[in-house]
Amino acid sequence: MAPQEYEAIPSRRIVVERFGGVEELREVETTVAAPPPGHTRVKVLAAGVGFTDLMARAGEYLLQRKVPFSPGYELVGEVVDTHGEGLAPGTLVAAALPRMGAYTEYAVLPDWLLVPLPDGLDPHLAAAVPLDYLTALSVLETHARVARGGTVLIQGAGGGVGQALSQLGRRSGLRMYGTASAPGSAERLARYGVEHIDYRRQDFETVIRERESHGIQAVFDHIGGANLAKSHRILAPGGVLVSYAFVGRPGHMIGDTIRGAARVKLMNMRPGRRTALCMLPKELNANRDWYRTGLARLLALAHTGGIEPTIAAHHPLAKAADVHAALERREITGKIVLTAS
Ligand SMILES: NC(=O)c1ccc[n+]([C@@H]2O[C@H](COP(=O)([O-])OP(=O)(O)OC[C@H]3O[C@@H](n4cnc5c(N)ncnc54)[C@H](OP(=O)(O)O)[C@@H]3O)[C@@H](O)[C@H]2O)c1
């Protein structure tokens, strides 16, 4: 289509104009202009909501320090039109985004970000794949690289990324321990072959030392703080601690994340064991082939049941604030998907 045939499309999106509570998620009317060269305009069918969105809204997320912005790192949509050699209109696509912006009705995105869905894959299910499963893929294959039969500890194995790590870890033939505290965790984790440690009642370091006297090959951590030293101590020689988030003090999370990341880097200077930091939004931009191949692989697995994203509920985009509030109250297990219509 020639560029002059394009028209701006009216679009609603959820915007954070001031960092703060859920009341700062406002729906605004806007227009989405024609895609520039190398870009595609997409009608968003579903956007996944992640814990990171809540942190960003509150102004506690290192990679989103400016307002205004629309939250959301992942979406599934339908191609409307493209400027150049892009996909045909009507093609269903998924994307993880290097910068937030998925809580919207229409988006203009670079062509390289858009990965077609396998025929017949439910778009709502697909929207739960990009962020959590690509993060897990990066932790496992880019950073940890544990051989089949190796033993790992997944912190927060019942969470979004934790479940993705459990499911992909099972496919890679890993022996897995996982910390979780939510009711029913032991049964949920057992489904993926993960041995449960209730971190509120048990000390994970003691449990692993008792059961794995030679140490384990990897720990995947999203907590930081005291967890880092304890995780490092239970590694076998040659083992690796992969850190992908830090729980800081409310109001100090950005500084605490920077300090946590520096600590992980310093720990890597100790001989005998490795540490690594995973930051998906930066990695997918830096290695676009890895991103496209990885997401296509994950969508194919979701289609064939090789991975099982858990969808807790769908809600209209306009209900984003209610969804954030429910997630903050920790009332939800599984992924919430926001739908534009
Ligand atoms: N690096 C990246 O590129 C990247 C990508 C995606 C997400 N993230 C970050 O990763 C973190 C997790 O995201 P998510 O979407 O998976 O969150 P989530 O679904 O809310 O899961 C977090 C899990 O952490 C568990 N947890 C809480 N305190 C814990 C503790 N002290 N020890 C062990 N587990 C604990 C909770 O388990 P119970 O409810 O069972 O207690 C919960 O299931 C967030 O900070 C997010 O921002 C980073």
Side-chain angles (χ1 to χ4, degrees):
M1 191 188 287
Q4 59 270 27
E5 290 175 36
Y6 294 116
E7 281 178 13
I9 300 176
S11 172
R12 292 171 298 136
R13 64 186 182 114
I14 303 293
V15 176
V16 175
E17 280 163 358
R18 238 176 17 179
F19 292 126
V22 298
E23 67 285 354
E24 299 301 339
L25 293 167
R26 303 259 167 81
E27 187 178 345
V28 299
E29 299 283 342
T30 174
T31 53
V32 173
H39 287 65
T40 293
R41 196 156 45 174
V42 169
K43 176 172 172 41
V44 178
L45 304 177
V49 180
F51 187 76
T52 318
D53 304 349
L54 279 60
M55 294 169 63
R57 188 208 71 229
E60 301 264 39
Y61 179 51
L62 181 61
L63 301 186
Q64 186 62 60
R65 298 166 83 169
K66 288 192 179 147
V67 283
F69 72 99
S70 290
Y73 261 141
E74 59 189 346
L75 59 81
V76 164
E78 181 180 343
V79 171
V80 177
D81 47 22
T82 176
H83 188 143
E85 302 288 307
L87 294 159
T91 308
L92 294 185
V93 291
L97 308 182
R99 300 171 65 87
M100 289 195 166
Y103 291 15
T104 184
E105 209 178 358
Y106 288 88
V108 172
L109 297 169
D111 294 344
W112 67 267
L113 273 181
L114 305 176
V115 176
L117 260 55
D119 282 348
L121 177 60
D122 173 3
H124 294 165
L125 189 79
V129 171
L131 181 66
D132 292 350
Y133 286 84
L134 277 170
T135 302
L137 199 67
S138 166
V139 166
L140 289 167
E141 296 187 1
T142 304
H143 297 290
R145 305 187 299 272
V146 176
R148 251 187 139 66
T151 304
V152 304
L153 171 64
I154 302 168
Q155 302 285 6
V161 179
Q163 284 191 41
L165 283 164
S166 306
Q167 294 172 19
L168 292 171
R170 179 181 57 170
R171 296 187 61 78
S172 302
L174 301 181
R175 288 182 62 231
M176 297 178 284
Y177 291 91
T179 58
S181 76
S185 290
E187 295 72 26
R188 264 198 303 280
L189 268 53
R191 192 170 148 72
Y192 308 119
V194 177
E195 201 162 322
H196 177 224
I197 300 172
D198 183 343
Y199 66 85
R200 291 191 200 275
R201 295 177 40 240
Q202 296 167 287
D203 174 46
F204 73 82
E205 185 180 357
T206 309
V207 175
I208 298 289
R209 280 185 189 283
E210 280 169 7
R211 300 201 204 155
E212 307 289 336
S213 56
H214 299 295
I216 60 176
Q217 279 66 53
V219 181
F220 311 136
D221 184 77
H222 66 309
I223 300 293
N227 263 26
L228 294 178
K230 286 156 72 78
S231 298
H232 201 262
R233 287 199 291 265
I234 55 174
L235 292 175
V240 57
L241 164 61
V242 185
S243 174
Y244 64 91
F246 303 89
V247 176
R249 297 158 296 157
H252 301 271
M253 287 208 201
I254 290 179
D256 288 347
T257 299
I258 293 168
R259 278 183 285 279
R263 197 164 155 215
V264 170
K265 286 191 173 162
L266 273 176
M267 288 169 92
N268 198 36
M269 296 167 85
R270 296 186 207 160
R273 288 148 182 84
R274 276 192 305 125
T275 64
L277 284 166
C278 166
M279 221 183 256
L280 185 75
K282 290 195 178 296
E283 290 175 20
L284 64 88
N285 205 9
N287 193 345
R288 297 176 181 188
D289 286 343
W290 172 84
Y291 160 73
R292 291 187 59 78
T293 315
L295 184 51
R297 204 171 117 206
L298 292 166
L299 292 169
L301 282 173
H303 190 222
T304 55
I307 56 173
E308 299 168 352
T310 317
I311 305 288
H314 314 133
H315 291 285
L317 191 58
K319 294 284 180 198
D322 294 346
V323 168
H324 275 220
L327 283 168
E328 278 179 351
R329 293 193 298 268
R330 304 210 67 83
E331 285 171 355
I332 296 162
T333 304
K335 193 88 179 174
I336 301 277
V337 167
L338 295 174
T339 54
S341 46

